[in-house]
mmCIF file of all heavy atoms in Angstrom:
data_model
loop_
_atom_site.group_PDB
_atom_site.id
_atom_site.type_symbol
_atom_site.label_atom_id
_atom_site.label_comp_id
_atom_site.label_asym_id
_atom_site.label_seq_id
_atom_site.Cartn_x
_atom_site.Cartn_y
_atom_site.Cartn_z
ATOM 1 N N ALA B 327 161.898 162.212 178.733
ATOM 2 C CA ALA B 327 162.316 162.284 180.155
ATOM 3 C C ALA B 327 161.804 161.103 180.893
ATOM 4 O O ALA B 327 162.518 160.455 181.736
ATOM 5 C CB ALA B 327 161.815 163.594 180.794
ATOM 6 N N ARG B 328 160.549 160.714 180.662
ATOM 7 C CA ARG B 328 159.999 159.514 181.306
ATOM 8 C C ARG B 328 160.777 158.265 180.970
ATOM 9 O O ARG B 328 161.009 157.432 181.838
ATOM 10 C CB ARG B 328 158.534 159.388 180.952
ATOM 11 C CG ARG B 328 157.828 158.223 181.537
ATOM 12 C CD ARG B 328 156.357 158.181 181.187
ATOM 13 N NE ARG B 328 156.148 157.799 179.785
ATOM 14 C CZ ARG B 328 154.996 157.895 179.132
ATOM 15 N NH1 ARG B 328 153.920 158.367 179.784
ATOM 16 N NH2 ARG B 328 154.927 157.616 177.906
ATOM 17 N N ALA B 329 161.091 158.144 179.661
ATOM 18 C CA ALA B 329 161.847 156.981 179.234
ATOM 19 C C ALA B 329 163.239 156.919 179.864
ATOM 20 O O ALA B 329 163.664 155.905 180.375
ATOM 21 C CB ALA B 329 161.988 156.968 177.731
ATOM 22 N N LEU B 330 163.873 158.139 179.998
ATOM 23 C CA LEU B 330 165.197 158.191 180.563
ATOM 24 C C LEU B 330 165.153 157.864 182.066
ATOM 25 O O LEU B 330 166.143 157.381 182.617
ATOM 26 C CB LEU B 330 165.815 159.576 180.366
ATOM 27 C CG LEU B 330 166.186 159.931 178.933
ATOM 28 C CD1 LEU B 330 166.622 161.373 178.855
ATOM 29 C CD2 LEU B 330 167.201 158.968 178.377
ATOM 30 N N ALA B 331 164.049 158.187 182.731
ATOM 31 C CA ALA B 331 163.949 157.921 184.154
ATOM 32 C C ALA B 331 164.164 156.437 184.471
ATOM 33 O O ALA B 331 164.519 156.065 185.596
ATOM 34 C CB ALA B 331 162.580 158.369 184.667
ATOM 35 N N ALA B 332 163.882 155.619 183.528
ATOM 36 C CA ALA B 332 164.031 154.135 183.687
ATOM 37 C C ALA B 332 165.494 153.736 183.538
ATOM 38 O O ALA B 332 165.852 152.551 183.731
ATOM 39 C CB ALA B 332 163.173 153.355 182.712
ATOM 40 N N GLU B 333 166.426 154.686 183.265
ATOM 41 C CA GLU B 333 167.787 154.391 183.022
ATOM 42 C C GLU B 333 168.016 153.232 182.024
ATOM 43 O O GLU B 333 168.691 152.231 182.376
ATOM 44 C CB GLU B 333 168.528 154.091 184.370
ATOM 45 C CG GLU B 333 168.581 155.276 185.304
ATOM 46 C CD GLU B 333 169.161 154.897 186.665
ATOM 47 O OE1 GLU B 333 169.948 153.896 186.713
ATOM 48 O OE2 GLU B 333 168.835 155.543 187.666
ATOM 49 N N PRO B 334 167.499 153.428 180.809
ATOM 50 C CA PRO B 334 167.567 152.293 179.863
ATOM 51 C C PRO B 334 168.991 152.198 179.267
ATOM 52 O O PRO B 334 169.792 153.110 179.357
ATOM 53 C CB PRO B 334 166.566 152.708 178.788
ATOM 54 C CG PRO B 334 166.605 154.219 178.831
ATOM 55 C CD PRO B 334 166.832 154.579 180.265
ATOM 56 N N ARG B 335 169.269 151.023 178.613
ATOM 57 C CA ARG B 335 170.444 150.876 177.802
ATOM 58 C C ARG B 335 170.140 151.231 176.367
ATOM 59 O O ARG B 335 170.989 151.641 175.570
ATOM 60 C CB ARG B 335 170.960 149.408 177.865
ATOM 61 C CG ARG B 335 171.052 148.846 179.244
ATOM 62 C CD ARG B 335 172.354 149.283 179.866
ATOM 63 N NE ARG B 335 173.489 148.896 179.066
ATOM 64 C CZ ARG B 335 174.535 148.230 179.559
ATOM 65 N NH1 ARG B 335 174.537 147.911 180.809
ATOM 66 N NH2 ARG B 335 175.546 147.868 178.785
ATOM 67 N N LEU B 336 168.855 150.883 176.014
ATOM 68 C CA LEU B 336 168.418 151.079 174.605
ATOM 69 C C LEU B 336 167.187 152.003 174.637
ATOM 70 O O LEU B 336 166.279 151.715 175.456
ATOM 71 C CB LEU B 336 168.092 149.756 173.935
ATOM 72 C CG LEU B 336 167.388 149.817 172.574
ATOM 73 C CD1 LEU B 336 168.349 150.447 171.509
ATOM 74 C CD2 LEU B 336 166.973 148.426 172.136
ATOM 75 N N LEU B 337 167.214 153.064 173.839
ATOM 76 C CA LEU B 337 166.104 153.981 173.859
ATOM 77 C C LEU B 337 165.443 153.923 172.487
ATOM 78 O O LEU B 337 166.127 154.089 171.452
ATOM 79 C CB LEU B 337 166.632 155.421 174.134
ATOM 80 C CG LEU B 337 165.591 156.542 174.254
ATOM 81 C CD1 LEU B 337 164.653 156.285 175.384
ATOM 82 C CD2 LEU B 337 166.346 157.877 174.442
ATOM 83 N N LEU B 338 164.142 153.688 172.449
ATOM 84 C CA LEU B 338 163.416 153.655 171.147
ATOM 85 C C LEU B 338 162.606 154.927 171.067
ATOM 86 O O LEU B 338 161.750 155.209 171.918
ATOM 87 C CB LEU B 338 162.462 152.445 171.139
ATOM 88 C CG LEU B 338 162.962 151.061 171.427
ATOM 89 C CD1 LEU B 338 161.920 149.993 171.236
ATOM 90 C CD2 LEU B 338 164.167 150.724 170.571
ATOM 91 N N LEU B 339 162.881 155.728 170.028
ATOM 92 C CA LEU B 339 162.200 157.012 169.892
ATOM 93 C C LEU B 339 161.340 156.950 168.632
ATOM 94 O O LEU B 339 161.834 156.766 167.555
ATOM 95 C CB LEU B 339 163.225 158.170 169.757
ATOM 96 C CG LEU B 339 164.133 158.359 170.954
ATOM 97 C CD1 LEU B 339 165.219 159.436 170.617
ATOM 98 C CD2 LEU B 339 163.363 158.796 172.192
ATOM 99 N N ASP B 340 160.034 157.059 168.831
ATOM 100 C CA ASP B 340 159.134 156.967 167.701
ATOM 101 C C ASP B 340 158.737 158.405 167.266
ATOM 102 O O ASP B 340 157.945 159.095 167.912
ATOM 103 C CB ASP B 340 157.833 156.231 168.081
ATOM 104 C CG ASP B 340 157.147 155.566 166.873
ATOM 105 O OD1 ASP B 340 157.419 156.103 165.746
ATOM 106 O OD2 ASP B 340 156.349 154.642 167.058
ATOM 107 N N GLU B 341 159.302 158.842 166.176
ATOM 108 C CA GLU B 341 159.099 160.176 165.585
ATOM 109 C C GLU B 341 159.245 161.294 166.665
ATOM 110 O O GLU B 341 158.353 162.093 166.949
ATOM 111 C CB GLU B 341 157.680 160.274 164.975
ATOM 112 C CG GLU B 341 157.533 159.292 163.836
ATOM 113 C CD GLU B 341 156.372 159.620 162.919
ATOM 114 O OE1 GLU B 341 155.848 160.731 163.008
ATOM 115 O OE2 GLU B 341 156.033 158.707 162.123
ATOM 116 N N PRO B 342 160.476 161.426 167.207
ATOM 117 C CA PRO B 342 160.692 162.467 168.228
ATOM 118 C C PRO B 342 160.555 163.824 167.705
ATOM 119 O O PRO B 342 160.265 164.811 168.484
ATOM 120 C CB PRO B 342 162.138 162.209 168.680
ATOM 121 C CG PRO B 342 162.822 161.434 167.548
ATOM 122 C CD PRO B 342 161.659 160.644 166.980
ATOM 123 N N ALA B 343 160.669 164.047 166.399
ATOM 124 C CA ALA B 343 160.568 165.402 165.827
ATOM 125 C C ALA B 343 159.207 165.612 165.174
ATOM 126 O O ALA B 343 158.979 166.715 164.643
ATOM 127 C CB ALA B 343 161.674 165.643 164.768
ATOM 128 N N GLY B 344 158.321 164.629 165.259
ATOM 129 C CA GLY B 344 156.990 164.772 164.629
ATOM 130 C C GLY B 344 156.250 165.937 165.216
ATOM 131 O O GLY B 344 156.043 166.047 166.461
ATOM 132 N N GLY B 345 155.834 166.893 164.401
ATOM 133 C CA GLY B 345 155.046 168.031 164.872
ATOM 134 C C GLY B 345 155.894 169.146 165.500
ATOM 135 O O GLY B 345 155.337 170.088 166.103
ATOM 136 N N LEU B 346 157.201 168.992 165.480
ATOM 137 C CA LEU B 346 158.072 170.045 166.097
ATOM 138 C C LEU B 346 158.463 171.043 165.046
ATOM 139 O O LEU B 346 158.614 170.717 163.830
ATOM 140 C CB LEU B 346 159.300 169.407 166.731
ATOM 141 C CG LEU B 346 159.078 168.404 167.824
ATOM 142 C CD1 LEU B 346 160.402 168.126 168.536
ATOM 143 C CD2 LEU B 346 158.037 168.756 168.792
ATOM 144 N N ASN B 347 158.729 172.313 165.466
ATOM 145 C CA ASN B 347 159.249 173.251 164.538
ATOM 146 C C ASN B 347 160.805 173.091 164.416
ATOM 147 O O ASN B 347 161.401 172.385 165.211
ATOM 148 C CB ASN B 347 158.869 174.680 164.995
ATOM 149 C CG ASN B 347 159.554 175.079 166.296
ATOM 150 O OD1 ASN B 347 160.666 174.762 166.539
ATOM 151 N ND2 ASN B 347 158.780 175.780 167.143
ATOM 152 N N PRO B 348 161.408 173.726 163.409
ATOM 153 C CA PRO B 348 162.830 173.480 163.151
ATOM 154 C C PRO B 348 163.766 173.702 164.403
ATOM 155 O O PRO B 348 164.710 172.970 164.663
ATOM 156 C CB PRO B 348 163.172 174.436 162.022
ATOM 157 C CG PRO B 348 161.849 174.679 161.351
ATOM 158 C CD PRO B 348 160.834 174.572 162.415
ATOM 159 N N THR B 349 163.443 174.752 165.184
ATOM 160 C CA THR B 349 164.256 175.011 166.360
ATOM 161 C C THR B 349 164.127 173.872 167.392
ATOM 162 O O THR B 349 165.135 173.382 167.911
ATOM 163 C CB THR B 349 163.804 176.326 167.094
ATOM 164 O OG1 THR B 349 163.281 177.185 166.033
ATOM 165 C CG2 THR B 349 164.907 176.968 167.814
ATOM 166 N N GLU B 350 162.881 173.427 167.620
ATOM 167 C CA GLU B 350 162.658 172.298 168.507
ATOM 168 C C GLU B 350 163.344 171.043 168.015
ATOM 169 O O GLU B 350 163.937 170.314 168.792
ATOM 170 C CB GLU B 350 161.173 172.044 168.712
ATOM 171 C CG GLU B 350 160.437 173.173 169.471
ATOM 172 C CD GLU B 350 158.942 172.978 169.515
ATOM 173 O OE1 GLU B 350 158.377 172.518 168.460
ATOM 174 O OE2 GLU B 350 158.297 173.160 170.580
ATOM 175 N N THR B 351 163.265 170.840 166.740
ATOM 176 C CA THR B 351 163.926 169.685 166.145
ATOM 177 C C THR B 351 165.408 169.695 166.416
ATOM 178 O O THR B 351 166.017 168.671 166.772
ATOM 179 C CB THR B 351 163.620 169.577 164.633
ATOM 180 O OG1 THR B 351 162.240 169.536 164.452
ATOM 181 C CG2 THR B 351 164.277 168.361 164.026
ATOM 182 N N GLN B 352 165.995 170.869 166.206
ATOM 183 C CA GLN B 352 167.467 171.005 166.485
ATOM 184 C C GLN B 352 167.770 170.630 167.952
ATOM 185 O O GLN B 352 168.737 169.968 168.213
ATOM 186 C CB GLN B 352 167.913 172.494 166.211
ATOM 187 C CG GLN B 352 168.111 172.808 164.756
ATOM 188 C CD GLN B 352 169.152 171.967 164.080
ATOM 189 O OE1 GLN B 352 170.090 171.532 164.717
ATOM 190 N NE2 GLN B 352 168.939 171.663 162.797
ATOM 191 N N ALA B 353 166.939 171.087 168.840
ATOM 192 C CA ALA B 353 167.120 170.782 170.270
ATOM 193 C C ALA B 353 167.019 169.295 170.564
ATOM 194 O O ALA B 353 167.862 168.764 171.281
ATOM 195 C CB ALA B 353 166.124 171.579 171.124
ATOM 196 N N VAL B 354 166.062 168.624 169.899
ATOM 197 C CA VAL B 354 165.917 167.189 170.098
ATOM 198 C C VAL B 354 167.152 166.439 169.564
ATOM 199 O O VAL B 354 167.664 165.523 170.166
ATOM 200 C CB VAL B 354 164.605 166.671 169.469
ATOM 201 C CG1 VAL B 354 164.573 165.184 169.365
ATOM 202 C CG2 VAL B 354 163.396 167.169 170.269
#
Side-chain angles (χ1 to χ4, degrees):
Chain B
R328 180 177 70 192
L330 292 175
E333 294 176 26
R335 310 280 301 233
L336 172 65
L337 184 61
L338 309 183
L339 298 173
D340 202 342
E341 300 196 14
L346 301 194
N347 66 38
T349 330
E350 289 174 320
T351 302
Q352 283 299 328
V354 166

